[in-house]
Amino acid sequence: MASLLLKGGRLVDPATGTDGRFDLLVVDGRVAERRPAGTAKAGPAGTKVLDVTGKIVCPGFVDMHVHLREPGHEHKESIETGTRAAAAGGFTSVACMPNTDPVNDGLSATEYVVAEARRRGVVNVFPIGSVSKAGKGEELAEIADMVRSGAVAVSDDGRPVANSYLMRMALEYTKIFGIPVIDHCEERSLSAGGVMNEGFVATVLGLKGIPACGEEIAVGRDLALAAMTRGRLHVAHLSTRGALELVRRAKNEGLAVTCEVTPHHLVLNDNAVMESQYDANTKMNPPLRAEEDRLALLEGLRDGTIDAIATDHAPHHADEKLQEFDDAPFGIIGLETAIPLMMDRLVRPGLIDLTRLVSLMSATPARILGIAKGSLAVGVEADITVIDPDLERAVDVAAFRSKSRNSPFHGWTLRGWPVASIVGGRVVHELQAAAGH
Ligand SMILES: [Zn+2]
């Protein structure tokens, strides 16, 4: 395999405690050498040289919460288009949720995802198996089989595991494999029929609300089960101040709990539904919350309570999202906007620093999933994300690699974009506009 020399970039690699200017040599798909910038020796004959002066070089970003929609909903996304969107967005690994059709609840479904990702995927794909058979919440799925064929976690994401006993079994059983249960926390008896956050804005708009306490009840129950079973619980798309406080307390008590938040819950609140005049691209589950929740999440990023940022990339066809707000499906795409949003809205104003961002979007999600990613130590597979912190451009959904366009961020001007994605030493995406920049 060809070798690659990334010259002069700022290497930000929290896993090795690195933040400085280095030349990075990749040979045979692995990191071969890291030397202070300007001191690299020429690589083997035919080495491709990328001048990344002024750019940030970091371990490939890992999105631990993605819906690739295949099999069953290929009109929204496929493994091929979803992984292209990931590469364009600066992600070199994604973990995909099992709520496809059929649901990934056993050996053959997991094997299908792994095989299709190998055939047509352009970034690494790590399947997440379901907790329950067909995602119905009644009996445990074939967890051992799925883990053997490559599943890195289990989740019934899209719906909660309503049955407490089943959740207890899942937390106990997954301990054998050392994998987390990824928890979609929602008390359906409270959220049923709701389409946005319950509160002032929902009242003004006359829309049925989804109360914050429905998430908190579910988080509270599952933290209690995690404490009893000593299983590994990972709270997906945490969105409320109260749920965050419960996780903070559980961590202080030494529980093996982790959590993720989405970029949209960090930059938008429920006012977006009103301001966009019922644009269904502001409808997701959990819903955009109140400003006090958003501010609490920012605090959780700073104090370390939040472990990961994950997109919950949820593609839907334009026709589905063009329905009335009440009828449109929940969810937005996120792979191609996450990095610029977080660079522009978190790093640029100084809410968090680059090292923390790379931890949240690469090193820590990799650790939670138990995959050998998230580091650029010498010898590791060379999955690399290159970011231009000064590149400013507008989000244009028409140019997205995803099959879907359901983003509330169209037209936003953001600074700090991924310009190259490298998987196993191969450049799988390069932003042409940045060449020679
Ligand atoms: Zn979910």
Side-chain angles (χ1 to χ4, degrees), residues 65 67 97 99 155-160 182-186 236-237 260 285-286 312:
H65 191 146
H67 298 273
M97 285 297 175
N99 60 339
S155 180
D156 273 356
D157 184 56
R159 23 178 144 166
I182 301 179
D183 197 5
H184 173 114
C185 293
E186 179 183 356
H237 45 52
E260 72 190 31
N285 188 19
D312 194 4

Side-chain angles (χ1 to χ4, degrees), residues 189-361:
S189 63
L190 290 168
S191 61
V195 294
M196 71 171 292
N197 184 50
E198 180 167 320
F200 175 74
V201 182
T203 306
V204 169
L205 295 179
L207 293 173
K208 184 152 174 14
I210 298 171
C213 74
E215 178 170 325
E216 289 147 21
I217 288 167
V219 170
R221 183 200 72 170
D222 292 341
L223 288 173
L225 290 169
M228 181 182 66
T229 59
R230 292 280 146 193
R232 278 186 60 201
L233 185 73
H234 175 79
V235 178
H237 45 52
L238 186 144
S239 73
T240 78
R241 186 172 59 98
L244 184 75
E245 186 49 37
L246 289 169
V247 169
R248 185 180 281 127
R249 215 181 303 157
K251 285 186 162 194
N252 286 338
E253 287 163 9
L255 237 63
V257 57
T258 51
C259 68
E260 72 190 31
V261 294
T262 71
H264 47 274
H265 288 110
L266 291 169
V267 302
L268 295 173
N269 60 32
D270 56 1
N271 275 319
V273 181
M274 181 150 61
E275 283 159 8
S276 70
Q277 295 172 318
Y278 303 91
D279 178 359
N281 291 327
T282 60
K283 179 179 178 181
M284 59 285 280
N285 188 19
L288 298 172
R289 298 293 190 182
E291 179 64 2
E292 63 160 338
D293 294 301
R294 190 184 76 87
L295 295 175
L297 297 184
L298 293 178
E299 184 54 34
L301 283 183
R302 281 191 294 264
D303 72 12
T305 306
I306 293 165
D307 299 279
I309 294 172
T311 68
D312 194 4
H313 179 81
H316 290 295
H317 193 271
D319 293 345
E320 299 164 315
K321 274 294 199 184
L322 277 171
Q323 299 174 87
E324 293 282 308
F325 196 88
D326 275 333
D327 301 323
F330 292 100
I332 60 167
I333 50 175
L335 284 167
E336 291 171 84
T337 49
I339 290 180
L341 278 171
M342 299 297 88
M343 286 294 291
D344 191 86
R345 298 305 164 105
L346 298 183
V347 176
R348 200 148 78 98
L351 294 175
I352 58 171
D353 64 17
L354 266 173
T355 298
R356 178 81 176 121
L357 185 74
V358 176
S359 292
L360 287 159
M361 299 185 77

